[in-house]
Amino acid sequence: MAAERRGFDQFVALLEAEARALEQQHVERLVALADDKAAQVRALTDLSQRRVAALAAAGAPSGPTPMGDWLATRGGPVARSAWDALLDTARRARDLNAANGALIDARMRFNQAALSALQSAARQATVYGRDGSPDVPTGGRPLGSA
């Protein structure tokens, strides 16, 4: 459990760094953090699988919450406290990840709206034609046709 808790602490630190990089719009840092996050998720998955296997080997009941069930029957207060702390850290990671996802979504919507506005303006104000010659819209009648 201690290794899994340290793993979640590291994951929370990565998510906090990601939040700062998102706020500062530091793309290169986000790319590096994405790789680090993926590696940390793999490590956490491995730790979780090892915990579940150890519980099964110890005769823990199967079900949706094997650790909680095992701690309820065989764990002492120190183990329960450690498990609760791990769950609190996991919830913090979930909440940070959701907040970062919401920030990414908001930025994507803004960027899409800005791109649409620019594309619309570009369609209305063509400066050069396909052949490279100036193509300035006149918006009125041709000269001499008054």
Side-chain angles (χ1 to χ4, degrees), residues 3-40:
E4 203 169 356
R5 170 70 191 275
R6 284 189 304 274
F8 270 107
D9 286 339
Q10 291 169 350
F11 192 54
V12 164
L14 288 170
L15 291 166
E16 289 170 339
E18 180 183 57
R20 287 188 300 275
L22 285 166
E23 289 167 2
Q24 297 167 358
Q25 299 181 21
H26 196 273
V27 176
E28 296 83 14
R29 181 74 178 129
L30 287 170
V31 171
L33 285 167
D35 292 341
D36 293 345
K37 278 178 42 181
Q40 192 63 28

mmCIF file of all heavy atoms in Angstrom, residues 3-40:
data_model
loop_
_atom_site.group_PDB
_atom_site.id
_atom_site.type_symbol
_atom_site.label_atom_id
_atom_site.label_comp_id
_atom_site.label_asym_id
_atom_site.label_seq_id
_atom_site.Cartn_x
_atom_site.Cartn_y
_atom_site.Cartn_z
ATOM 1 N N ALA A 3 3.748 1.770 -1.437
ATOM 2 C CA ALA A 3 4.246 2.058 -2.792
ATOM 3 C C ALA A 3 3.137 2.650 -3.652
ATOM 4 O O ALA A 3 3.374 3.584 -4.437
ATOM 5 C CB ALA A 3 4.792 0.785 -3.430
ATOM 6 N N GLU A 4 1.935 2.134 -3.496
ATOM 7 C CA GLU A 4 0.804 2.659 -4.270
ATOM 8 C C GLU A 4 0.491 4.096 -3.850
ATOM 9 O O GLU A 4 0.216 4.950 -4.694
ATOM 10 C CB GLU A 4 -0.410 1.744 -4.063
ATOM 11 C CG GLU A 4 -1.416 1.826 -5.155
ATOM 12 C CD GLU A 4 -2.464 0.724 -5.076
ATOM 13 O OE1 GLU A 4 -2.383 -0.174 -4.219
ATOM 14 O OE2 GLU A 4 -3.388 0.781 -5.912
ATOM 15 N N ARG A 5 0.566 4.380 -2.575
ATOM 16 C CA ARG A 5 0.334 5.747 -2.084
ATOM 17 C C ARG A 5 1.393 6.687 -2.653
ATOM 18 O O ARG A 5 1.080 7.784 -3.118
ATOM 19 C CB ARG A 5 0.349 5.760 -0.554
ATOM 20 C CG ARG A 5 0.354 7.142 0.080
ATOM 21 C CD ARG A 5 -0.981 7.869 -0.107
ATOM 22 N NE ARG A 5 -0.907 9.254 0.271
ATOM 23 C CZ ARG A 5 -1.051 9.728 1.487
ATOM 24 N NH1 ARG A 5 -1.282 8.933 2.501
ATOM 25 N NH2 ARG A 5 -0.989 11.021 1.708
ATOM 26 N N ARG A 6 2.666 6.261 -2.630
ATOM 27 C CA ARG A 6 3.722 7.104 -3.208
ATOM 28 C C ARG A 6 3.477 7.317 -4.701
ATOM 29 O O ARG A 6 3.683 8.414 -5.225
ATOM 30 C CB ARG A 6 5.100 6.463 -2.984
ATOM 31 C CG ARG A 6 5.613 6.618 -1.574
ATOM 32 C CD ARG A 6 7.059 6.175 -1.439
ATOM 33 N NE ARG A 6 7.302 4.808 -1.871
ATOM 34 C CZ ARG A 6 7.153 3.724 -1.113
ATOM 35 N NH1 ARG A 6 6.761 3.852 0.135
ATOM 36 N NH2 ARG A 6 7.398 2.520 -1.597
ATOM 37 N N GLY A 7 2.998 6.269 -5.375
ATOM 38 C CA GLY A 7 2.687 6.388 -6.799
ATOM 39 C C GLY A 7 1.595 7.410 -7.051
ATOM 40 O O GLY A 7 1.679 8.215 -7.995
ATOM 41 N N PHE A 8 0.571 7.404 -6.216
ATOM 42 C CA PHE A 8 -0.502 8.396 -6.373
ATOM 43 C C PHE A 8 -0.017 9.797 -6.014
ATOM 44 O O PHE A 8 -0.432 10.779 -6.633
ATOM 45 C CB PHE A 8 -1.735 8.013 -5.552
ATOM 46 C CG PHE A 8 -2.706 7.162 -6.319
ATOM 47 C CD1 PHE A 8 -2.834 5.821 -6.033
ATOM 48 C CD2 PHE A 8 -3.476 7.702 -7.337
ATOM 49 C CE1 PHE A 8 -3.716 5.032 -6.746
ATOM 50 C CE2 PHE A 8 -4.363 6.921 -8.054
ATOM 51 C CZ PHE A 8 -4.481 5.578 -7.757
ATOM 52 N N ASP A 9 0.862 9.889 -5.010
ATOM 53 C CA ASP A 9 1.440 11.203 -4.684
ATOM 54 C C ASP A 9 2.196 11.753 -5.891
ATOM 55 O O ASP A 9 2.092 12.948 -6.211
ATOM 56 C CB ASP A 9 2.376 11.104 -3.479
ATOM 57 C CG ASP A 9 1.633 10.930 -2.159
ATOM 58 O OD1 ASP A 9 0.428 11.268 -2.093
ATOM 59 O OD2 ASP A 9 2.261 10.456 -1.193
ATOM 60 N N GLN A 10 2.958 10.889 -6.563
ATOM 61 C CA GLN A 10 3.700 11.318 -7.760
ATOM 62 C C GLN A 10 2.737 11.705 -8.881
ATOM 63 O O GLN A 10 2.971 12.676 -9.609
ATOM 64 C CB GLN A 10 4.637 10.204 -8.225
ATOM 65 C CG GLN A 10 5.781 9.961 -7.274
ATOM 66 C CD GLN A 10 6.553 8.689 -7.587
ATOM 67 O OE1 GLN A 10 6.130 7.879 -8.408
ATOM 68 N NE2 GLN A 10 7.685 8.502 -6.924
ATOM 69 N N PHE A 11 1.645 10.961 -9.018
ATOM 70 C CA PHE A 11 0.659 11.267 -10.050
ATOM 71 C C PHE A 11 -0.001 12.615 -9.783
ATOM 72 O O PHE A 11 -0.197 13.422 -10.694
ATOM 73 C CB PHE A 11 -0.376 10.144 -10.119
ATOM 74 C CG PHE A 11 -1.260 10.200 -11.322
ATOM 75 C CD1 PHE A 11 -0.731 10.248 -12.602
ATOM 76 C CD2 PHE A 11 -2.639 10.198 -11.187
ATOM 77 C CE1 PHE A 11 -1.555 10.295 -13.724
ATOM 78 C CE2 PHE A 11 -3.462 10.243 -12.301
ATOM 79 C CZ PHE A 11 -2.926 10.292 -13.567
ATOM 80 N N VAL A 12 -0.326 12.889 -8.526
ATOM 81 C CA VAL A 12 -0.908 14.188 -8.152
ATOM 82 C C VAL A 12 0.069 15.308 -8.492
ATOM 83 O O VAL A 12 -0.326 16.348 -9.030
ATOM 84 C CB VAL A 12 -1.309 14.204 -6.657
ATOM 85 C CG1 VAL A 12 -1.539 15.622 -6.150
ATOM 86 C CG2 VAL A 12 -2.555 13.356 -6.439
ATOM 87 N N ALA A 13 1.355 15.098 -8.198
ATOM 88 C CA ALA A 13 2.362 16.122 -8.515
ATOM 89 C C ALA A 13 2.411 16.371 -10.028
ATOM 90 O O ALA A 13 2.531 17.513 -10.470
ATOM 91 C CB ALA A 13 3.732 15.697 -7.995
ATOM 92 N N LEU A 14 2.302 15.309 -10.827
ATOM 93 C CA LEU A 14 2.282 15.466 -12.283
ATOM 94 C C LEU A 14 1.050 16.244 -12.731
ATOM 95 O O LEU A 14 1.134 17.117 -13.602
ATOM 96 C CB LEU A 14 2.312 14.103 -12.978
ATOM 97 C CG LEU A 14 3.635 13.350 -12.929
ATOM 98 C CD1 LEU A 14 3.446 11.918 -13.428
ATOM 99 C CD2 LEU A 14 4.686 14.071 -13.748
ATOM 100 N N LEU A 15 -0.093 15.947 -12.138
ATOM 101 C CA LEU A 15 -1.323 16.652 -12.497
ATOM 102 C C LEU A 15 -1.261 18.126 -12.098
ATOM 103 O O LEU A 15 -1.760 18.995 -12.820
ATOM 104 C CB LEU A 15 -2.534 15.966 -11.862
ATOM 105 C CG LEU A 15 -2.867 14.593 -12.440
ATOM 106 C CD1 LEU A 15 -3.847 13.852 -11.536
ATOM 107 C CD2 LEU A 15 -3.416 14.727 -13.847
ATOM 108 N N GLU A 16 -0.645 18.412 -10.970
ATOM 109 C CA GLU A 16 -0.482 19.811 -10.558
ATOM 110 C C GLU A 16 0.467 20.542 -11.517
ATOM 111 O O GLU A 16 0.218 21.696 -11.881
ATOM 112 C CB GLU A 16 0.038 19.877 -9.122
ATOM 113 C CG GLU A 16 -1.018 19.466 -8.103
ATOM 114 C CD GLU A 16 -0.469 19.288 -6.696
ATOM 115 O OE1 GLU A 16 0.774 19.093 -6.543
ATOM 116 O OE2 GLU A 16 -1.279 19.327 -5.750
ATOM 117 N N ALA A 17 1.520 19.860 -11.951
ATOM 118 C CA ALA A 17 2.438 20.462 -12.927
ATOM 119 C C ALA A 17 1.723 20.671 -14.257
ATOM 120 O O ALA A 17 1.934 21.683 -14.941
ATOM 121 C CB ALA A 17 3.670 19.573 -13.113
ATOM 122 N N GLU A 18 0.861 19.730 -14.615
ATOM 123 C CA GLU A 18 0.086 19.875 -15.845
ATOM 124 C C GLU A 18 -0.836 21.087 -15.763
ATOM 125 O O GLU A 18 -0.956 21.846 -16.730
ATOM 126 C CB GLU A 18 -0.731 18.600 -16.098
ATOM 127 C CG GLU A 18 -1.570 18.652 -17.360
ATOM 128 C CD GLU A 18 -2.402 17.401 -17.533
ATOM 129 O OE1 GLU A 18 -3.196 17.062 -16.614
ATOM 130 O OE2 GLU A 18 -2.269 16.759 -18.589
ATOM 131 N N ALA A 19 -1.459 21.283 -14.619
ATOM 132 C CA ALA A 19 -2.347 22.441 -14.443
ATOM 133 C C ALA A 19 -1.569 23.745 -14.622
ATOM 134 O O ALA A 19 -2.040 24.671 -15.293
ATOM 135 C CB ALA A 19 -3.003 22.394 -13.060
ATOM 136 N N ARG A 20 -0.364 23.804 -14.046
ATOM 137 C CA ARG A 20 0.455 25.011 -14.209
ATOM 138 C C ARG A 20 0.846 25.209 -15.673
ATOM 139 O O ARG A 20 0.792 26.333 -16.194
ATOM 140 C CB ARG A 20 1.712 24.924 -13.333
ATOM 141 C CG ARG A 20 1.434 25.113 -11.850
ATOM 142 C CD ARG A 20 2.712 25.216 -11.042
ATOM 143 N NE ARG A 20 3.562 24.044 -11.148
ATOM 144 C CZ ARG A 20 3.444 22.943 -10.398
ATOM 145 N NH1 ARG A 20 2.496 22.874 -9.488
ATOM 146 N NH2 ARG A 20 4.279 21.931 -10.564
ATOM 147 N N ALA A 21 1.218 24.130 -16.354
ATOM 148 C CA ALA A 21 1.606 24.233 -17.765
ATOM 149 C C ALA A 21 0.414 24.669 -18.621
ATOM 150 O O ALA A 21 0.570 25.438 -19.571
ATOM 151 C CB ALA A 21 2.175 22.905 -18.259
ATOM 152 N N LEU A 22 -0.776 24.183 -18.286
ATOM 153 C CA LEU A 22 -1.974 24.600 -19.020
ATOM 154 C C LEU A 22 -2.243 26.086 -18.808
ATOM 155 O O LEU A 22 -2.553 26.806 -19.761
ATOM 156 C CB LEU A 22 -3.188 23.775 -18.576
ATOM 157 C CG LEU A 22 -3.246 22.349 -19.087
ATOM 158 C CD1 LEU A 22 -4.287 21.550 -18.315
ATOM 159 C CD2 LEU A 22 -3.537 22.331 -20.578
ATOM 160 N N GLU A 23 -2.127 26.530 -17.571
ATOM 161 C CA GLU A 23 -2.367 27.948 -17.276
ATOM 162 C C GLU A 23 -1.355 28.843 -17.979
ATOM 163 O O GLU A 23 -1.692 29.933 -18.440
ATOM 164 C CB GLU A 23 -2.312 28.178 -15.763
ATOM 165 C CG GLU A 23 -3.496 27.586 -15.029
ATOM 166 C CD GLU A 23 -3.295 27.541 -13.521
ATOM 167 O OE1 GLU A 23 -2.238 28.016 -13.037
ATOM 168 O OE2 GLU A 23 -4.184 27.018 -12.838
ATOM 169 N N GLN A 24 -0.109 28.364 -18.076
ATOM 170 C CA GLN A 24 0.951 29.150 -18.709
ATOM 171 C C GLN A 24 1.041 28.890 -20.215
ATOM 172 O O GLN A 24 1.871 29.487 -20.892
ATOM 173 C CB GLN A 24 2.295 28.815 -18.051
ATOM 174 C CG GLN A 24 2.342 29.182 -16.603
ATOM 175 C CD GLN A 24 3.546 28.572 -15.886
ATOM 176 O OE1 GLN A 24 4.333 27.846 -16.464
ATOM 177 N NE2 GLN A 24 3.674 28.877 -14.601
ATOM 178 N N GLN A 25 0.205 28.001 -20.715
ATOM 179 C CA GLN A 25 0.176 27.622 -22.133
ATOM 180 C C GLN A 25 1.561 27.173 -22.614
ATOM 181 O O GLN A 25 2.018 27.552 -23.679
ATOM 182 C CB GLN A 25 -0.371 28.765 -22.980
ATOM 183 C CG GLN A 25 -1.785 29.130 -22.598
ATOM 184 C CD GLN A 25 -2.362 30.236 -23.437
ATOM 185 O OE1 GLN A 25 -1.907 30.516 -24.543
ATOM 186 N NE2 GLN A 25 -3.404 30.872 -22.936
ATOM 187 N N HIS A 26 2.202 26.342 -21.834
ATOM 188 C CA HIS A 26 3.543 25.836 -22.113
ATOM 189 C C HIS A 26 3.417 24.465 -22.781
ATOM 190 O O HIS A 26 3.416 23.420 -22.118
ATOM 191 C CB HIS A 26 4.334 25.755 -20.806
ATOM 192 C CG HIS A 26 5.798 25.614 -21.012
ATOM 193 N ND1 HIS A 26 6.409 24.398 -21.169
ATOM 194 C CD2 HIS A 26 6.768 26.549 -21.103
ATOM 195 C CE1 HIS A 26 7.705 24.579 -21.323
ATOM 196 N NE2 HIS A 26 7.952 25.879 -21.297
ATOM 197 N N VAL A 27 3.329 24.468 -24.106
ATOM 198 C CA VAL A 27 3.027 23.260 -24.874
ATOM 199 C C VAL A 27 4.111 22.192 -24.727
ATOM 200 O O VAL A 27 3.801 21.013 -24.541
ATOM 201 C CB VAL A 27 2.804 23.608 -26.367
ATOM 202 C CG1 VAL A 27 2.587 22.362 -27.195
ATOM 203 C CG2 VAL A 27 1.630 24.555 -26.509
ATOM 204 N N GLU A 28 5.375 22.584 -24.798
ATOM 205 C CA GLU A 28 6.453 21.603 -24.708
ATOM 206 C C GLU A 28 6.406 20.865 -23.377
ATOM 207 O O GLU A 28 6.628 19.659 -23.312
ATOM 208 C CB GLU A 28 7.830 22.264 -24.891
ATOM 209 C CG GLU A 28 8.050 22.870 -26.266
ATOM 210 C CD GLU A 28 7.446 24.269 -26.404
ATOM 211 O OE1 GLU A 28 7.078 24.891 -25.386
ATOM 212 O OE2 GLU A 28 7.318 24.734 -27.551
ATOM 213 N N ARG A 29 6.108 21.593 -22.320
ATOM 214 C CA ARG A 29 6.013 20.969 -20.988
ATOM 215 C C ARG A 29 4.826 20.008 -20.943
ATOM 216 O O ARG A 29 4.908 18.936 -20.339
ATOM 217 C CB ARG A 29 5.882 22.061 -19.924
ATOM 218 C CG ARG A 29 5.791 21.538 -18.524
ATOM 219 C CD ARG A 29 7.138 21.044 -18.038
ATOM 220 N NE ARG A 29 7.009 20.583 -16.670
ATOM 221 C CZ ARG A 29 7.426 19.399 -16.240
ATOM 222 N NH1 ARG A 29 8.057 18.582 -17.036
ATOM 223 N NH2 ARG A 29 7.251 19.046 -14.989
ATOM 224 N N LEU A 30 3.725 20.375 -21.591
ATOM 225 C CA LEU A 30 2.551 19.495 -21.620
ATOM 226 C C LEU A 30 2.862 18.172 -22.319
ATOM 227 O O LEU A 30 2.403 17.113 -21.889
ATOM 228 C CB LEU A 30 1.377 20.191 -22.303
ATOM 229 C CG LEU A 30 0.719 21.302 -21.496
ATOM 230 C CD1 LEU A 30 -0.261 22.075 -22.364
ATOM 231 C CD2 LEU A 30 0.032 20.731 -20.269
ATOM 232 N N VAL A 31 3.628 18.235 -23.400
ATOM 233 C CA VAL A 31 3.988 17.016 -24.125
ATOM 234 C C VAL A 31 4.804 16.093 -23.222
ATOM 235 O O VAL A 31 4.538 14.894 -23.127
ATOM 236 C CB VAL A 31 4.754 17.353 -25.423
ATOM 237 C CG1 VAL A 31 5.321 16.106 -26.067
ATOM 238 C CG2 VAL A 31 3.837 18.091 -26.388
ATOM 239 N N ALA A 32 5.792 16.659 -22.542
ATOM 240 C CA ALA A 32 6.617 15.853 -21.636
ATOM 241 C C ALA A 32 5.776 15.288 -20.490
ATOM 242 O O ALA A 32 5.938 14.122 -20.107
ATOM 243 C CB ALA A 32 7.769 16.692 -21.088
ATOM 244 N N LEU A 33 4.891 16.101 -19.953
ATOM 245 C CA LEU A 33 4.042 15.640 -18.855
ATOM 246 C C LEU A 33 3.091 14.536 -19.302
ATOM 247 O O LEU A 33 2.792 13.623 -18.521
ATOM 248 C CB LEU A 33 3.257 16.811 -18.266
ATOM 249 C CG LEU A 33 4.065 17.758 -17.392
ATOM 250 C CD1 LEU A 33 3.289 19.046 -17.132
ATOM 251 C CD2 LEU A 33 4.452 17.086 -16.084
ATOM 252 N N ALA A 34 2.619 14.592 -20.532
ATOM 253 C CA ALA A 34 1.729 13.538 -21.032
ATOM 254 C C ALA A 34 2.449 12.198 -21.026
ATOM 255 O O ALA A 34 1.867 11.168 -20.627
ATOM 256 C CB ALA A 34 1.230 13.880 -22.432
ATOM 257 N N ASP A 35 3.707 12.192 -21.442
ATOM 258 C CA ASP A 35 4.492 10.955 -21.413
ATOM 259 C C ASP A 35 4.698 10.480 -19.978
ATOM 260 O O ASP A 35 4.561 9.293 -19.681
ATOM 261 C CB ASP A 35 5.845 11.167 -22.093
ATOM 262 C CG ASP A 35 5.725 11.385 -23.595
ATOM 263 O OD1 ASP A 35 4.678 11.018 -24.181
ATOM 264 O OD2 ASP A 35 6.688 11.924 -24.179
ATOM 265 N N ASP A 36 5.028 11.414 -19.082
ATOM 266 C CA ASP A 36 5.234 11.057 -17.672
ATOM 267 C C ASP A 36 3.946 10.529 -17.042
ATOM 268 O O ASP A 36 3.974 9.572 -16.260
ATOM 269 C CB ASP A 36 5.731 12.269 -16.882
ATOM 270 C CG ASP A 36 7.125 12.711 -17.297
ATOM 271 O OD1 ASP A 36 7.833 11.938 -17.990
ATOM 272 O OD2 ASP A 36 7.511 13.852 -16.936
ATOM 273 N N LYS A 37 2.820 11.174 -17.364
ATOM 274 C CA LYS A 37 1.538 10.714 -16.824
ATOM 275 C C LYS A 37 1.214 9.303 -17.303
ATOM 276 O O LYS A 37 0.766 8.475 -16.514
ATOM 277 C CB LYS A 37 0.410 11.666 -17.249
ATOM 278 C CG LYS A 37 0.273 12.897 -16.410
ATOM 279 C CD LYS A 37 -0.825 13.824 -16.898
ATOM 280 C CE LYS A 37 -2.083 13.138 -17.311
ATOM 281 N NZ LYS A 37 -3.124 14.043 -17.811
ATOM 282 N N ALA A 38 1.439 9.034 -18.577
ATOM 283 C CA ALA A 38 1.158 7.698 -19.113
ATOM 284 C C ALA A 38 2.013 6.648 -18.405
ATOM 285 O O ALA A 38 1.514 5.569 -18.043
ATOM 286 C CB ALA A 38 1.399 7.672 -20.618
ATOM 287 N N ALA A 39 3.280 6.956 -18.173
ATOM 288 C CA ALA A 39 4.162 6.021 -17.467
ATOM 289 C C ALA A 39 3.685 5.813 -16.028
ATOM 290 O O ALA A 39 3.700 4.684 -15.513
ATOM 291 C CB ALA A 39 5.597 6.530 -17.494
ATOM 292 N N GLN A 40 3.241 6.883 -15.390
ATOM 293 C CA GLN A 40 2.782 6.773 -14.005
ATOM 294 C C GLN A 40 1.483 5.973 -13.926
ATOM 295 O O GLN A 40 1.299 5.196 -12.989
ATOM 296 C CB GLN A 40 2.600 8.159 -13.386
ATOM 297 C CG GLN A 40 2.411 8.143 -11.895
ATOM 298 C CD GLN A 40 3.612 7.593 -11.162
ATOM 299 O OE1 GLN A 40 4.749 7.677 -11.621
ATOM 300 N NE2 GLN A 40 3.379 6.992 -10.019
#
